[in-house]
Amino acid sequence: MRGASKTLSTMAGAFALSLSFIASAQADGKLQEVLSRGRLIVGTGSTNPPWGFQDKSGKLAGFDIDLARIIAKGLFNDPSKVEFVTQSSDARIPNITTGQVDMTCQAMTVTAPRAQQVAFTVPYYREGVGLLLKKGGKYADYAALKAAGSAVTVSVLQNVYAEEMVHQALPDAKVDQFDNVGLMYQALNSGRSDAAATDASSLRWFMKQNPDKYADAGYGWNPQNYSCAVKQGDADWLRFVDTAIEQALTGVDFGDYGTAYETWFGVTPPAPAIGFPR
């Protein structure tokens, strides 16, 4: 009996030690680290309106900035308790995996290969391609552009898929590629092109800034989800950030999300329906 008691005592000790390790791991997770620090550290961009850019006063502004403040509000009941680390787009994943930031919110497209390196949150925006027109120009909308066939020229940012992408929407259009977005929009302004194929978010931003100058052709394609990203392996932290974003999209913080959406895109998003949650 004495041997059995000793064995039971050893097992109880090992079980208690195991519980201690579990409690320690939970206490040392990212959520507790951020709460103890007293501020959220977010990687984001500074040259990409309307997502993250420097406003006229030199302060960071944009939709990603507002979203990060919503998450900070959920953590500390204070949207100002967030530190932004400005980074290039190719630093978004390395800065997460090396712990330089708690999370990245930077117009980041969700892809399966990227999901092997970081944990994506629930999407907070669905990007796509739209056609920006000059208001009062030769073509009033997408139907007119498509009917005109090869008479239409579309300006687009240069890349290997640019022509194929434009032809998904306008199969017969001529495609004029430019190596920077400024030249792409200049072609539209000068009449060299009839439409500019650009991100739907940029289209809405340009229309918000210049309501009497530009128009939306009314057609979007090539959808892609934008999500924030966190380091893999911390379920509690991912679950918290997901909860904060979900409540901004559909719950108690929808007012903050809706205000940011209207500010940067000039469109009021539909309010969550009462009743069934999806």
Side-chain angles (χ1 to χ4, degrees):
M1 292 294 295
R2 184 177 299 173
S5 298
K6 185 175 181 181
T7 300
L8 289 173
S9 176
T10 301
M11 290 174 63
F15 181 68
L17 187 61
S18 176
L19 290 178
S20 174
F21 278 132
I22 292 172
S24 175
Q26 290 175 338
D28 292 341
K30 176 61 72 174
L31 178 57
Q32 293 304 317
E33 177 189 329
V34 173
L35 290 171
S36 297
R37 185 197 304 133
R39 72 185 188 283
L40 174 67
I41 302 175
V42 178
T44 195
S46 60
T47 60
N48 184 25
W51 296 101
F53 66 102
Q54 290 186 324
D55 64 16
K56 293 179 181 179
S57 66
K59 294 181 179 179
L60 276 177
F63 192 79
D64 281 333
I65 308 305
D66 287 348
L67 183 70
R69 296 194 188 283
I70 290 173
I71 296 168
K73 179 184 175 183
L75 286 162
F76 307 109
N77 198 30
D78 185 346
S80 70
K81 288 191 173 182
V82 53
E83 174 187 336
F84 292 104
V85 174
T86 57
Q87 58 190 16
S88 61
S89 60
D90 59 3
R92 292 177 297 188
I93 289 177
N95 280 354
I96 295 170
T97 58
T98 60
Q100 300 301 306
V101 299
D102 300 321
M103 59 186 298
T104 280
C105 290
Q106 193 176 349
M108 190 172 182
T109 300
V110 177
T111 68
R114 286 175 174 173
Q116 298 174 38
Q117 303 175 72
V118 295
F120 282 111
T121 65
V122 293
Y124 61 89
Y125 182 83
R126 180 163 294 135
E127 186 63 279
V129 181
L131 293 165
L132 186 67
L133 304 174
K134 285 185 69 176
K135 186 169 283 190
K138 185 176 180 180
Y139 301 103
D141 55 22
Y142 172 69
L145 289 168
K146 192 168 184 179
S150 61
V152 168
T153 299
V154 178
S155 58
V156 65
L157 188 64
Q158 186 176 42
N159 67 73
V160 294
Y161 305 109
E163 189 160 345
E164 177 186 349
M165 181 189 72
V166 172
H167 285 160
Q168 288 173 1
L170 297 170
D172 300 318
K174 298 183 182 71
V175 179
D176 203 356
Q177 300 188 43
F178 295 90
D179 60 10
N180 69 70
V181 292
L183 292 175
M184 179 184 75
Y185 293 127
Q186 185 178 327
L188 176 64
N189 293 333
S190 68
R192 177 173 170 175
S193 70
D194 302 298
T198 187
D199 289 343
S201 58
S202 297
L203 181 151
R204 289 170 177 161
W205 166 251
F206 269 89
M207 290 177 59
K208 170 79 172 178
Q209 301 305 304
N210 306 276
D212 299 323
K213 187 173 183 179
Y214 296 114
D216 181 358
Y219 181 78
W221 74 105
N222 198 29
Q224 48 191 292
N225 290 324
Y226 282 175
S227 290
C228 298
V230 300
K231 192 173 184 178
Q232 291 180 339
D234 193 329
D236 285 341
W237 178 233
L238 176 60
R239 189 176 298 114
F240 169 78
V241 179
D242 274 346
T243 298
I245 294 174
E246 283 180 336
Q247 296 317 302
L249 292 170
T250 65
V252 295
D253 291 314
F254 176 76
D256 294 334
Y257 180 90
T259 297
Y261 199 98
E262 198 284 329
T263 296
W264 302 113
F265 305 131
V267 178
T268 301
I274 305 302
F276 194 75
R278 288 291 182 188

